[in-house]
Structures are given as structure tokens and as C-alpha cells.
Amino acid sequence: MMAARPVRWGIVGATTIAREWMLGAIREAGGEIVSVMSSDAGRGKAYAAENGIPDSTTDLSALLGKDLDAVYIATTNEKHKAQTLAAAKAGVHVLCEKPLAMSLADAHEMVAACRAAGVVMGTNHHLRNASTIRAIRDAVADGRIGKPLFARVFHAVYLPVGLQGWRIKDPAAGSGVVMDITVHDTDTLRFALGEDPVSVTAFTQEGGLSGAGIEDGVMGVMRFGSGVLAQFHDAFTTKYASTGFEVHGTDGSVIGVNCMTQRPVGDVLLRDASGERRLEVVPENLYVRSVTAFQNAVRGEGQPAATGEDGVRSMAGAIAALESARTGRAVAVEPGL
Ligand code: NDP
């Protein structure tokens, strides 16, 4: 039997996330990285050389013309839409970073364009690929905590100094902790609980790291269709907080410790009438799992770990949180799908 041709990838954006995680993940998953696009020729050339990429370009059409199967789009958020539409038009599959876009209307357009072009669209929500989060999802789905009542998401971190750029300074590029981290919380909650949030109430904070008018911390509560309440805490400003993801039910609690992270680390505990025990979690690179599912989908097998629609739904939760913080009211989550 002939081996399948490697999926040929173009990297859109000379970015930190690609350098730290996704280039390695694509290679480990058997993909071939053909070229990288940067808006700056010098930066793109240096990035390609440093990362073993054979080619760089400043022109998206030139990139899309390189007999690609897929692009990984990880530019700043305001660029995702036009780049996704161009890839779809060229018949190239799209794995796009979160948040998909700057508005829900734009995200809908991206999903619709990929569907109309018959290309796969994935959203790179890494956390649903974590062994810890999958163990929590399984424990909930298997009824091991009884009826879920509450969830708590601890996702307040300190934004690394090297990333203290557009995320805290540039509203036009999609700054703010809610569009950066609350989107991940929303996706992880949807995945672990198997249902969608219907309403959000939140308060945001300007804790001194971000520019004026840009939130760098948030606390809030999402209400899900079944009545589950989920508390979330996200920040760029806390140097010493730990992360976690917990679901508490009528008959037990499942508690993820140190699990809201890019690294394949963390523990999951199950606590019920018979005591507390650690659930088996086999560490696995989250991004390799994401790329593998996406490449399988490109070959016609299954779906990406998170689809374009999942990306729309996670944005809808984050947008409702921002609207709640702005108005001081509970806001309905309306993905419009
Ligand atoms: P970066 O800040 O590293 O890169 C964003 C853009 O900034 C690049 O496209 C690049 O432009 C430009 N840039 C990079 N370095 C320089 C420089 N030295 N001088 C001037 N411009 C520069 O972004 P991230 O990697 O942190 O994030 C990219 C996207 O990925 C975002 O949408 C983010 O939300 C998402 N993300 C997702 C994560 C996940 O786990 N799912 C984790 C981290 C980020 P150009 O390409 O034109 O050269």
C-alpha cells in the first residue's frame, strides 16, 4: 500500500505560537511545512531560516499557489477573516487560531466560505485536546459525578513579557483577556459539559498591565442549558495563581489541577463517597493531537478536534461576557448558528 502523501502546509504569520508549538506539532503529525508568510520580508526570511522552513513570502496568493493542502492561520485576530476567505477560495483547508475573528458576523462568513468551498475548517482550541480535560469530560459523561451542578475555571496567568504586545495594547488587533482566554474557557466548558452556555454575567478589570480601556482580568459566571453554573477567572496579571478546571456534581467532584496550559501536564482527581483518587491521564502533546485530527479530516476521516462552528460558539460566549461587563447585565449567548 502506498503511504499517504504528507499534508502540505503553509504557515500564515511568523508567530510565537507557531514557533513554540505548531511547527513541531505539524512535523510530528507527519505534515510537511512548505512556506511561511510574513508581512515583513526580512522577518519572514529570518523566521524561515531559524525554523527550518524552506521558503518565505510576503504574498498570500503566492503562498496559496504552492500546491498546499492546508494553511495554519495564526496572525493577529483582525487578519484571520480575509486570510481564511482567500484560502477557501483557493481550495485550501484552514486551521485557524482563536478567536476566529473580530466579530461573530465575520466568523460566520469564514465558516460559510469554507463550507461553500468544500474545505475543512478547524479552530485551534488546544485545551479540548488535553488528556486532563478529556479525562474530566469522560468522567462527567460516564455519570461518575452524578448530575453536574457547577463548574469552576481557573485560568488567570501572567502574560509572558515576550507576548506583552498587541494583546494588551492594540484593540484593532483584538486585544484583551476575554477574546484571548475566555474563548478557551467557553470551548473547554462546552467540551467537558457537552452543552452550550445560554447566558453570561461578568465583570472585567484593568489591573495595570494593559493599555487604557483594555481589560486584563475578568471574573464571571456562565449559565448552561441544563442549569449548570460555571464560574470563570481569566487574567494576564497574576504571577502566582494556579490553573484548574473543576466540575462538581450531585455524587462527586472531578478536579483538574494545573491543566489550563499549553503543556501536557496536570492531574485529575475524582472525589466522591468512596474517597479521592487520581484518574489515569496519559500525557500527550495537545497540538499534535489537534493537527492529527485536522489532517485526518483533510483526508476525509472525521472532524477537526474543534470545528469552525466550535470557534463561532466560543467567540459567542466571550462576546457575551464583554457585553455583560459593559452593560452590567446578564447577556444571552447567541452564536447565531
Ligand atoms: P505573535 O505576537 O507572536 O505574532 C502575531 C503577529 O505579530 C505575527 O503574525 C507577526 O506578523 C507579528 N510579529 C511577530 N513578531 C514581530 C516582531 N518582532 N515585530 C513586529 N511584528 C511581529 O502572536 P501569537 O503567536 O502570540 O498569537 C498569534 C495568534 O495565535 C493569535 O490569534 C492568538 O490568539 C493565537 N494563539 C493561540 C494559542 C493557542 O494555544 N491556541 C496560543 C497563543 C496564541 P507577520 O506574520 O506579518 O510577520
Side-chain angles (χ1 to χ4, degrees):
M1 208 169 89
M2 271 193 16
R5 154 181 134 141
V7 172
R8 285 171 55 83
W9 288 85
I11 307 298
V12 182
T15 65
T16 310
I17 173 75
R19 187 182 67 238
E20 290 186 347
W21 292 102
M22 288 297 286
L23 301 177
I26 288 170
R27 289 175 176 138
E28 199 172 325
E32 179 185 348
I33 298 170
V34 175
S35 182
V36 58
M37 193 202 100
S38 166
S39 58
D40 181 286
R43 192 164 62 240
K45 209 169 168 194
Y47 188 94
E50 280 158 22
N51 294 290
I53 302 172
D55 177 70
S56 65
T57 177
T58 56
D59 179 2
L60 183 58
S61 323
L63 183 80
L64 293 169
K66 290 179 190 287
D67 188 26
L68 301 181
D69 299 303
V71 282
Y72 167 57
I73 298 178
T75 44
T76 47
N77 307 334
E78 84 288 8
K79 295 186 176 153
H80 296 173
K81 176 188 165 187
Q83 291 166 339
T84 296
L85 297 187
K89 199 168 169 199
V92 172
H93 304 285
V94 176
L95 178 57
C96 186
E97 270 306 341
K98 45 50 65 172
L100 287 183
M102 302 289 284
S103 72
L104 272 181
D106 284 356
H108 283 153
E109 215 178 312
M110 294 158 71
V111 169
C114 287
R115 191 179 301 137
V119 299
V120 173
M121 180 175 174
T123 308
N124 202 30
H125 278 305
H126 59 303
L127 289 163
R128 59 166 66 206
N129 294 290
S131 315
T132 46
I133 300 297
R134 286 186 293 119
I136 293 169
R137 190 265 322 257
D138 291 348
V140 171
D142 293 347
R144 296 179 74 181
I145 63 164
K147 176 177 152 50
L149 296 172
F150 299 102
R152 302 197 289 209
V153 186
F154 306 93
H155 205 168
V157 298
Y158 189 71
L159 187 65
V161 173
L163 293 183
Q164 291 180 15
W166 59 270
R167 273 186 184 74
I168 53 169
K169 291 182 188 146
D170 188 0
S175 59
V177 76
V178 172
M179 292 308 275
D180 199 55
I181 300 186
T182 311
V183 283
H184 281 312
D185 298 351
T186 309
D187 184 68
T188 312
L189 285 163
R190 291 186 57 241
F191 177 75
L193 297 171
E195 60 172 331
D196 287 307
V198 293
S199 180
V200 184
T201 173
F203 289 98
T204 52
Q205 180 184 76
E206 289 175 37
L209 186 67
S210 60
I214 300 171
E215 86 287 350
D216 54 21
V218 61
M219 279 186 154
V221 178
M222 293 186 182
R223 187 163 58 80
F224 283 71
S226 68
V228 169
L229 299 180
Q231 185 187 70
F232 58 95
H233 175 203
D234 307 325
F236 288 151
T237 48
T238 54
K239 285 186 178 151
Y240 305 106
S242 44
T243 73
F245 188 96
E246 304 177 351
V247 189
H248 302 277
T250 49
D251 301 328
S253 290
V254 62
I255 297 171
V257 180
N258 189 24
C259 58
M260 300 302 277
T261 170
Q262 297 175 294
R263 288 169 297 122
V265 296
D267 289 309
V268 180
L269 308 172
L270 182 69
R271 205 180 286 153
D272 60 16
S274 60
E276 179 180 288
R277 59 222 168 269
R278 189 175 287 201
L279 297 185
E280 192 191 4
V281 167
V282 180
E284 180 182 352
N285 184 308
L286 289 65
Y287 296 95
V288 174
R289 193 179 169 90
S290 171
V291 172
T292 300
F294 184 84
Q295 291 190 153
N296 288 342
V298 164
R299 296 193 175 105
E301 298 156 24
Q303 293 283 314
T307 60
E309 285 84 353
D310 288 318
V312 169
R313 291 183 192 280
S314 66
M315 271 188 73
I319 286 170
L322 281 175
E323 181 65 5
S324 170
R326 196 180 63 79
T327 59
R329 298 171 192 278
V331 172
V333 180
E334 289 171 331
L337 289 170

